[in-house]
Amino acid sequence: MKHFLTRCSILICLILILAIPVLAEQSYSHLYISISDALMNTKQDKDAEAELALEQFAKDWDSVTSEQMEAKAKVDDILDKAREALSKEDRLQALSALSNALRTLEKLENPVDEAAQRAEFGTKFKPSMKAFEDALASGDIAAIDAAYKDFNIKWNKIERPVREQSMAMYGQIETQMAFIRITLASEEPDIGLMESQYADLKQTIEDFVAGNDTAKVIEGEYSLSTLIDYIDEANDFIDAGDYKAASDKIKEFIKIWPSVEIDISTRNGSLYTKIESDMPILVSDLLKSKVDVQVISSKLDTFRTEIELINGSTDYTMWDSALILLREGLEALLIILALVSFLDKSGQKTMRKWIYLGALVGVLVSALAAILMSTIFNSAMVDSNRELMEGYVGLLAAAMMIGVGIWLHSKSSVSSWNRYITKQIGNAISKGSVFAMAAISFLSVFREGAETIVFYAGIAPKMETSKFVLGIVVAVLILIIFAIVLFKASGKIPIHKFFAVATVLIYVLAFKIIGVSLHTLQLRETVSTTIVDGLPVVSIIGFYPTVETMLGQAVLLVLVVATIIYKKKQR
């Protein structure tokens, strides 16, 4: 019980520490992330994930209060349409409308003069534009390069009103700037071409300042998977020696980039910056007389892996939920089996009901606590710090799993199991009371349930509640079958062998939780990301090809090997 209270205290403190900063002020940034998740998953035909993102939006939206009742009601209506959409096209349209309605609400709550914003943008950008024009007129490539860098830095600082008021104009400006960068980075920069490209860019900027949105929205359904496909195709052209085709494919990547960039910028800001700055350079590098294939391919592979890390699903399945309860439930079941068997052999069968009652109460309390934990971790209370909490609590759960795994391993021999069970039974019977027997049964189950709560806290935020609960139900059914078999053949089955199997299962799940948790922290840039080229993302087992995630999982493997060696020496 002492260990249980200690663990719960640690978990509660962690929740409070991470949640307090979030309660300080209301922000809509997390709502846009949910919309982005729903859009991305809908485009990839991942209906379950899209619905989960919408449910997350709905939960967060329930906590929003606003004096703009009409605008808020419009968001409610469009949210209902998005949740009820029967086709992919209807859902995409509703999600786009939802984003616009939310942005309208924000503007009403924080009214701004858009015309004044555009004029201010033009005023701020004018000096940088004039400096670049002067550099172009000089014909000095070094001066043009320096002026462009200043121009780009200034754009990144003041681009927000363009992005907020017109995504089409924003995308066109971004693309036009990228093409100037491509020309500038070429082996022999064509100043005439740059002047023509800049003239088009200047016209777009002037149109925006004047309130004329002349750009057209790029048609098509683009996602992170599209970016990955373009990189794969570019790599195929490079392997075939067709560098011009590879360059053109990266240009296509650049053209659709503004339509997809938010999916990356909201999850990995540093990757967003690297792609924007490096992709135009790669286009030029592929057109030079001497192409450094190794360097270009390495950069493309790194971008591909990092995009895949964001795009790859880190959701746990129903079986992950079931596995935890199976492992913990099996241990409690074996202890109950030992108690009941002892009572049978000592002629005290009438006391069986108290053991069963204690176990039942333990199961109910543990299951209720686990479901409440799932609800808490998916509520608005954890808001934008939710992913940080998922990562940290996941690591806490993995650390506990390692401890449980080592304990299991120590009971995987006949002699160790017999000593353990004799101690447990002896302590109960020595008290000579019905209450003691029921309490041992309850605590055996609830102790496992206490650990289960922390384990579930590490995976619940990555699961649909329906799958989470279904996993529990499946585990309970399997445990019932195990119970029937074990109670009928308790004297014939070597129970200690179950511990050996359970040890392997718990280590496998700990491996996955470590990988997923570190990956989550990497997406928030709390943990650095060092890509290892040539290795795949295997999200089903929590394997991500980064030095940091693999180091965490390597620590687990080292502990497992050390435990095995130590156990053999003891024997």
Side-chain angles (χ1 to χ4, degrees), residues 85 144 252 456:
I144 295 172
E252 291 181 35
Y456 276 140

Side-chain angles (χ1 to χ4, degrees), residues 195-263:
E195 288 175 340
S196 174
Q197 291 171 330
Y198 175 72
D200 292 338
L201 170 61
K202 183 179 180 181
Q203 186 62 54
T204 302
I205 293 172
E206 290 177 347
D207 286 342
F208 173 78
V209 172
N212 302 321
D213 291 353
T214 54
K216 294 181 180 180
V217 178
I218 297 177
E219 299 294 335
E221 296 178 2
Y222 302 109
S223 65
L224 296 183
S225 293
T226 310
L227 299 182
I228 292 172
D229 290 341
Y230 279 157
I231 291 176
D232 285 341
E233 290 177 37
N235 273 327
D236 288 341
F237 284 127
I238 291 172
D239 291 340
D242 192 344
Y243 303 137
K244 174 66 168 59
S247 178
D248 290 341
K249 186 55 64 175
I250 297 177
K251 282 184 180 179
E252 291 181 35
F253 179 106
I254 291 171
K255 287 179 181 178
I256 68 148
W257 168 250
S259 303
V260 188
E261 64 176 31
I262 190 172
D263 293 335

Side-chain angles (χ1 to χ4, degrees), residues 315-341:
D315 291 345
Y316 292 93
T317 67
M318 173 199 75
W319 293 109
D320 290 313
S321 174
L323 177 61
I324 291 176
L325 186 56
L326 275 175
R327 212 295 314 155
E328 301 299 331
L330 181 59
E331 182 182 343
L333 180 62
L334 294 174
I335 292 173
I336 293 170
L337 172 64
L339 290 171
V340 171
S341 298

